[in-house]
Amino acid sequence: MARRSFLSALGIAAVPGAAGGAPPAVRPSAPRRGGPAADALARLLPRHHRQVEFRALPGGDGADAFRVGGRTGLITVEGTTPAVQLAGFHHYLRHTAHAHVSWAGEQTDLPARLPAPAAPYARTANVPHRFALNDTGEGYTAPYADWAWWERTIDVLALHGVNEVLVCLGSDTIHRRVFEEFGHTAQELREWVPGPAHQPWWLLQNLSGFGGPVSQQLLDARAALARRVVDRLRELGMSPVLPGWSGAVPDGFADRNPGAVVIPQGRWLGFDRPDWLDPRTGLFARVAAAFYRVQGELLGEAALYRTDLLHEGGRPGGVPVGEAARAVQEALLAARPDAVWAVLGWQSNPARELLDAVDRDRMLVLDGLSDRRPAVVDRETDWAGTPYAFGSIWNFGGHTALGANTPDWARLYHAWLAKEGSALRGIALMPEASHNNPAALALFTDLPWSEAAPDLASWFSGWSVQRYGAPDPHAAAAWDVLRRTAYGTTREDGWSEAHEGLYGARPALTAASAAAWSPRAPRYDVREFDRALTGLLAVAPKLRRSSAYRCDLLDVARQALSNRSRVLLPALRAAHAAGDRERFDRLARVWMRHMELLEALVATDGRHLLGRWAADARRWGADRAEADRLEYDAVSLLTVWGPRRAADEGRLHDYANREWSGLVGGLYALRWRTLFEELSAALAEDRGPAPVDWFALEDAWARRRHGLPAEPAGDTWRAAVRVREELARDTCQTSLTASVDGRVLGPDRPVVLTARFEDLNGFTPARDVSFSLAPPRGVTAEPLPAGPGRASWRLTAAGPAASPAPLLVPVARCTVGGAPGSVTAAVRVMTAGGVGAPHRTVSSNGAVFAQVGDRFAVEGGGRDMWGATEEFGAVVHPGGLPGRARATVRVLHQDPTGAWARAGLVVRDDLAAPGSPGFLSLALTPANGVVLSWDSDGDGRLDSRRLLAGYAAPVHLRLTRDGRRCTGECSADGRVWETVAAVTLPAAAPVQDVGIFMSAVGGGSGARGVAGFSGFSVT
């Protein structure tokens, strides 16, 4: 398609001139009588907009405010800006007309004549900054959105009282034009710029190039769209928040600009970061001046500029952070004297050193941790009185999980605002992906317009009326359940987002989350949540017609089904551990059936279609080759995220997982089917499972031309009914756990095994629960008095002959209602005690040890094996690893006490001496395959790692030493070996200790576990 025709098809005027200089021509919107607010309302309510009269309201003391009055059929709304007028009307719409508009479903079934408010009312904003959208939002939400999407989004944000909107669109063209002035070619810069889905992390100075190169046509189209977006924001009286510049430069910048002082930034989660230009230099000031000049020509000026200094682990080198920050702010203020620098409150950012060096009155901290970190109590002290906005990131990566920490919003916002000396000046609505959780959007944006903390029970009751159009007892009951479950979580557990389901996880029986940094356990009672689905399905038929109802019904049915993955996976793991192939296969079929139901459900809604996501990307391609690149850019973000190093070592794979049609029935089903088939075959053949190269499978899938449907199919109501019916009759929604109260079983040391049953079906209660136990050979089991849902046995060993191995596996079983099959739970019990010569033991994790022949077991805890923390228990061969030697072991079993629990080989000059140099471990983990960790700088601490995904117990490990060079390998069968990494230990002694070890890596949880080994040898 010709360039001009392509842009016209997008509704965007062509950008004149490749090098630029003049702002793009923008097609003006058709004028409507009544001003920008009336124009917006005509778009939103075409049948009723003429019944609303908007008027300007003087600002008075400078605070935004609105007043609403009028009579039936003629509503009057006064406001300080057109956007505030829209916020006033939306307040009326929700609270008087029982209707609303959102970014995920709306309900606008209004009478022919708009009802009059009971009495005139007014609201004044209690903070000046009402900021929306995350730096990552364009990537995770709509990297290939068109003007229609942006127009609707702006209208919705205005209705919710937002007055500041982050706009990163057009930054690619700005950078291209700026750095052409500093010696780079247009082609070089188009290769430096990533694809649109990955551009947010380029602006955050984390990566470059991935998903590119981009065409000039793409840059032109995005620049024109950006101008249209900022023009509309200003038209409504809203402020575009534009990116600032803090020093990231293209590769080779110093070669083209003699005297440039650049600091290499190393890696970010497996990506090479762009270099950083020292902000204290004159060259930095010149580039910054060019940046703000070109940005102004393209997009105009802004009041707020959003950038961070050294985001997420950037390296200052020898540059003092305070001096750098002062120079960044001075460059901004030189170009924009009235500007405010907006920084993200995240991890340790902004550093006190930074804040002490700048003009804090010209700063705004967008707090991303207000509702996430329990220790956050006094931002005035943390940030030395710097103005800040109360923020929430209720969604990471675009996960479809439902929920938010609303009790924290109600408890904290007004309390912080009312504190003496409060520096709270705004809200920051910052989900990493937007257009989800409409209740969270409404409640959070209500905070700046309310005089007191909301009563959540009352608020959610009112929301059910606004959402569906009239009072309904079933809707009210459903939303009260949601208030207490998905929207009733708090920051006390250290999370601000809901837990994900596990269908989108890279397959492993030990998987506890789909994304590496997501909650690893349910954050609410999943049985209680089920009642919300029952309630929504019972809502009166006349209230089911809106997109709001369909959106909520899909989300709740999807979440109820998604929660089942956390019930089924432990049952699959227990069946596998017990060697019960029949039950394992039956549970695997249930799992795949649930995925089929989930695929059919989400296919009914356009917001949940991978096909639409991919088609949107392809439409921006200048030709077939670019369309293919852009589709991969978009699809890879949701799957592998980046290249192998980023996906595996950086753990970015599935960071943006979401339960969408095409993903659930495509990649996710393929992955789980692959795992289940291999595990079942391994059980049948009495062998360990073969490893799967998950990245290779995932990346090949992401690179396909998918051709998936871009339009929804099926009926949401019918699909939700099928989900409930299936879950109601499913007998697999139960949990059985087993534990022992002793650490070692011996002839004179019995232990008590307790099995606990839990019914996790919120639709149909379990009945007729009975227990049994299959003890190992040579062990007797005496039943003890039981309680509801619990059974206990005293296990006694007949004598040493009853202990052929250091780990025994009693299997507890539970049968429910006479149903076929049973719930199983396997627990490992250590036998005997101690180890024999020439071995000795060391422990910093309270470990105990057992040995029978060439088999060993270690039981212990441990917070971590990284940096200054090294808590592990090891069976050591002192001085057993000379300069040329090889150590091998087979890890037979590992309890999944944490994603990074470790069991394997460990090397050190002196394993009994904490901090000793030459430190290295080659270990299996429950969720991250095999990892080689080592001390790269000789300070005695593990600080570097390489991992190889796809491995699970049992696995063979082999470590070969050649001087200071160590090579770690692993194998599923002991015949075919795969290299994890070859590394150098800079401070290793000529002869080192070597051992087998375990660490629970419980992160302070107190978790303890068992690891079993065989075949430990050194040659």
Side-chain angles (χ1 to χ4, degrees):
M1 187 183 292
R3 175 172 167 268
R4 185 171 297 275
S5 299
F6 170 80
L7 297 177
S8 298
L10 292 173
I12 300 170
V15 180
V26 178
R27 186 179 65 202
S29 301
R32 286 185 179 272
R33 193 171 178 180
D39 292 346
L41 195 59
R43 294 188 291 270
L44 297 164
L45 295 177
R47 294 191 302 113
H48 294 83
H49 69 101
R50 298 187 189 281
Q51 299 180 41
V52 183
E53 183 177 315
F54 293 107
R55 303 170 184 167
L57 181 69
D61 62 358
D64 278 330
F66 61 76
R67 291 200 296 245
V68 181
R71 63 180 189 276
T72 299
L74 183 58
I75 310 303
T76 59
V77 182
E78 299 173 286
T80 45
T81 69
V84 172
Q85 293 164 15
L86 287 170
F89 176 76
H90 198 231
H91 188 278
Y92 153 82
L93 198 66
R94 289 170 57 193
H95 296 280
T96 299
H98 297 166
H100 82 293
V101 176
S102 186
W103 58 22
E106 65 179 45
Q107 192 288 116
T108 55
D109 186 12
L110 296 163
R113 301 181 70 204
L114 293 176
Y121 58 87
R123 294 286 186 275
T124 299
N126 53 42
V127 287
H129 298 286
R130 301 180 302 280
F131 173 92
L133 304 186
N134 196 296
D135 295 74
T136 67
E138 186 185 332
Y140 286 139
T141 308
Y144 293 96
D146 58 11
W147 168 242
W149 185 93
W150 272 103
E151 182 174 54
R152 169 77 178 190
T153 297
I154 294 168
D155 288 345
V156 168
L157 292 175
L159 290 170
H160 286 79
V162 168
N163 67 342
E164 296 165 349
V165 180
L166 181 62
V167 180
C168 298
L169 268 171
S171 294
D172 38 20
T173 285
I174 294 166
H175 281 77
R176 193 220 76 199
R177 285 169 50 180
V178 167
F179 287 108
E180 278 189 306
E181 297 181 14
F182 289 86
H184 293 269
T185 68
Q187 179 62 32
E188 288 173 337
L189 294 168
R190 288 198 301 271
E191 292 174 356
W192 183 57
V193 172
H198 288 82
Q199 281 192 24
W201 297 272
W202 168 65
L203 292 175
L204 288 168
Q205 305 158 47
N206 296 145
L207 57 83
S208 64
F210 189 83
V214 295
S215 68
Q216 188 60 49
Q217 173 175 301
L218 180 72
L219 296 179
D220 291 346
R222 286 171 57 81
L225 179 59
R227 184 55 186 258
R228 201 168 184 186
V229 168
V230 298
D231 283 352
R232 174 58 58 80
L233 289 169
R234 294 185 180 111
E235 179 182 294
L236 289 170
M238 304 166 80
S239 297
V241 178
L242 300 178
W245 188 71
S246 58
V249 294
D251 298 340
F253 180 84
D255 297 335
R256 292 161 176 79
N257 295 274
V261 180
V262 298
I263 296 91
Q265 291 299 290
R267 290 180 180 174
W268 175 81
L269 300 180
F271 283 97
D272 293 326
R273 292 177 181 263
D275 290 339
W276 181 51
L277 181 62
D278 187 342
R280 302 171 300 171
T281 62
L283 184 55
F284 177 94
R286 294 200 300 276
V287 177
F291 178 88
Y292 293 113
R293 170 176 52 78
V294 172
Q295 187 184 64
E297 292 168 354
L298 184 66
L299 301 177
E301 298 185 4
L304 270 75
Y305 288 83
R306 168 73 197 97
T307 189
D308 287 332
L309 197 64
L310 305 173
H311 178 78
E312 288 193 355
R315 302 174 179 178
V319 180
V321 170
E323 293 180 20
R326 186 184 306 115
V328 169
Q329 187 180 55
E330 288 173 351
L332 170 61
L333 296 179
R336 304 284 183 265
D338 298 324
V340 170
W341 179 8
V343 299
L344 182 62
W346 181 248
Q347 296 181 350
S348 58
N349 190 56
R352 186 59 180 265
E353 182 183 0
L354 181 154
L355 294 173
D356 286 345
V358 300
D359 181 352
R360 291 192 290 267
D361 291 336
R362 309 299 293 278
M363 300 282 289
L364 178 68
V365 182
L366 305 170
D367 188 2
L369 298 172
S370 300
D371 64 348
R372 183 177 176 92
R373 187 173 291 171
V376 171
V377 293
D378 186 354
R379 285 312 204 187
E380 286 72 26
T381 299
D382 295 340
W383 294 327
T386 307
Y388 73 97
F390 181 93
S392 177
I393 307 177
W394 71 63
N395 172 284
F396 287 81
H399 305 151
T400 38
L402 191 66
N405 289 354
T406 67
D408 293 325
W409 304 350
R411 180 173 59 89
L412 298 175
Y413 175 78
H414 284 87
W416 288 5
L417 186 65
K419 281 192 307 186
E420 184 177 353
S422 174
L424 178 54
R425 298 291 185 272
I427 62 165
L429 181 81
M430 297 189 295
E432 281 198 342
S434 59
H435 292 64
N436 51 56
N437 278 329
L441 168 67
L443 177 57
F444 193 80
T445 54
D446 277 354
L447 297 175
W449 300 97
S450 55
E451 295 179 355
D455 175 80
L456 293 180
S458 175
W459 190 95
F460 278 96
S461 176
W463 173 251
S464 72
V465 178
Q466 299 162 22
R467 191 70 172 155
Y468 309 136
D472 180 278
H474 300 292
W479 274 101
D480 193 58
V481 170
L482 294 173
R483 171 186 67 85
R484 291 181 282 103
T485 55
Y487 291 97
T489 55
T490 77
R491 65 180 188 161
E492 296 308 310
D493 61 2
W495 300 103
S496 60
E497 71 167 340
H499 62 263
E500 311 152 304
L502 301 178
Y503 298 121
R506 182 177 276 184
L509 295 183
T510 55
S513 65
W517 292 276
S518 291
R520 301 187 62 79
R523 298 189 64 217
Y524 54 79
D525 186 339
V526 297
R527 291 168 300 183
E528 179 72 5
F529 182 92
D530 289 344
R531 295 175 54 201
L533 179 55
T534 300
L536 284 184
L537 286 171
V539 166
K542 66 180 181 180
L543 302 183
R544 301 176 191 166
R545 295 190 293 260
S546 70
S547 61
Y549 174 78
R550 292 192 299 273
C551 168
D552 294 348
L553 181 62
L554 183 143
D555 267 343
V556 171
R558 182 205 50 72
Q559 191 67 54
L561 191 51
S562 183
N563 285 340
R564 287 305 170 277
S565 63
R566 292 183 173 273
V567 177
L568 275 173
L569 195 61
L572 279 156
R573 183 169 63 242
H576 184 266
D580 188 342
R581 186 186 180 209
E582 179 182 356
R583 175 167 172 77
F584 178 83
D585 288 347
R586 183 162 62 87
L587 290 171
R589 289 192 295 272
V590 172
W591 180 282
M592 298 307 298
R593 168 60 181 158
H594 284 188
M595 293 190 74
E596 291 172 5
L597 284 172
L598 183 57
E599 169 70 17
L601 173 69
V602 295
T604 67
D605 183 83
R607 300 176 304 121
H608 292 76
L609 302 180
L610 180 66
R612 180 171 292 183
W613 177 266
D616 286 347
R618 295 194 67 83
R619 276 195 290 270
W620 287 76
D623 52 32
R624 169 76 173 273
E626 186 174 39
D628 289 346
R629 288 198 303 274
L630 298 182
E631 181 175 1
Y632 177 71
D633 174 50
V635 175
S636 65
L637 186 73
L638 309 188
T639 53
V640 292
W641 213 103
R644 183 184 290 273
R645 191 171 66 187
D648 289 351
E649 293 179 22
R651 297 188 293 159
L652 283 172
H653 69 83
D654 299 299
Y655 180 90
N657 74 90
R658 47 194 72 176
E659 288 163 345
W660 278 7
S661 174
L663 279 174
V664 173
L667 176 64
Y668 298 168
L670 171 64
R671 292 194 304 193
W672 283 106
R673 189 181 304 111
T674 299
L675 178 73
F676 292 152
E677 290 175 353
E678 171 56 25
L679 291 179
S680 180
L683 285 175
E685 297 164 18
D686 192 25
R687 60 171 174 81
V692 178
D693 187 339
W694 292 116
F695 177 82
L697 180 150
E698 294 155 354
D699 196 55
W701 188 90
R703 291 182 184 278
R704 296 177 188 170
R705 283 199 62 190
H706 294 86
L708 295 167
E711 297 299 326
D715 180 79
T716 300
W717 163 265
R718 291 189 177 91
V721 168
R722 285 196 297 272
V723 167
R724 191 194 181 285
E725 289 175 346
E726 179 86 11
L727 294 181
R729 63 173 175 259
D730 184 2
T731 62
C732 298
Q733 297 172 65
T734 55
S735 170
L736 187 68
T737 56
S739 61
V740 291
D741 70 351
R743 302 172 74 182
V744 179
L745 173 67
D748 57 349
R749 286 181 295 185
V751 299
V752 173
L753 184 152
T754 300
R756 292 177 174 83
F757 171 81
E758 187 175 11
D759 180 15
L760 298 173
N761 191 327
F763 302 108
T764 306
R767 295 181 176 88
D768 303 326
V769 178
S770 60
F771 295 90
S772 62
L773 182 74
R777 179 173 59 85
V779 175
T780 61
E782 175 191 356
L784 298 176
R790 180 174 58 85
S792 296
W793 298 266
R794 179 179 289 108
L795 304 184
T796 305
S803 303
L807 283 178
L808 301 178
V809 188
V811 177
R813 297 184 183 274
C814 178
T815 303
V816 180
S822 56
V823 191
T824 56
V827 63
R828 277 158 175 78
V829 179
M830 288 181 60
T831 65
V835 300
H839 307 296
R840 59 180 171 84
T841 61
V842 298
S843 173
S844 54
N845 67 338
V848 294
F849 305 88
Q851 177 184 3
V852 175
D854 73 339
R855 294 197 172 196
F856 296 84
V858 185
E859 189 270 353
R863 291 175 301 155
D864 206 355
M865 279 278 287
W866 190 255
T869 306
E870 47 178 79
E871 297 186 0
F872 64 95
V875 177
V876 181
H877 187 351
L881 197 70
R884 291 178 60 84
R886 172 174 288 168
T888 58
V889 73
R890 190 181 191 207
V891 181
L892 300 171
H893 168 77
Q894 177 182 43
D895 281 347
T897 49
W900 286 97
R902 289 172 170 83
L905 293 164
V906 62
V907 171
R908 201 172 206 168
D909 289 1
D910 184 352
L911 279 166
S916 174
F919 198 12
L920 177 148
S921 74
L922 175 66
L924 181 67
T925 70
N928 296 289
V930 176
V931 59
L932 178 69
S933 306
W934 76 99
D935 169 18
S936 66
D937 58 11
D939 67 353
R941 297 180 174 184
L942 298 178
D943 55 28
S944 300
R945 70 173 177 230
R946 294 287 182 271
L947 60 85
L948 197 59
Y951 283 88
V955 66
H956 296 262
L957 301 178
R958 183 166 75 186
L959 182 69
T960 303
R961 184 184 180 197
D962 186 358
R964 292 181 175 175
R965 190 70 171 169
C966 291
T967 301
E969 300 168 282
C970 57
S971 171
D973 58 10
R975 295 187 298 273
V976 179
W977 291 86
E978 193 170 3
T979 299
V980 182
V983 303
T984 300
L985 294 178
V991 176
Q992 294 183 288
D993 290 351
V994 62
I996 54 176
F997 83 105
M998 69 78 60
S999 177
V1001 188
S1005 67
R1008 297 183 66 88
V1010 175
F1013 308 87
S1014 69
F1016 174 41
S1017 65
V1018 182
T1019 57

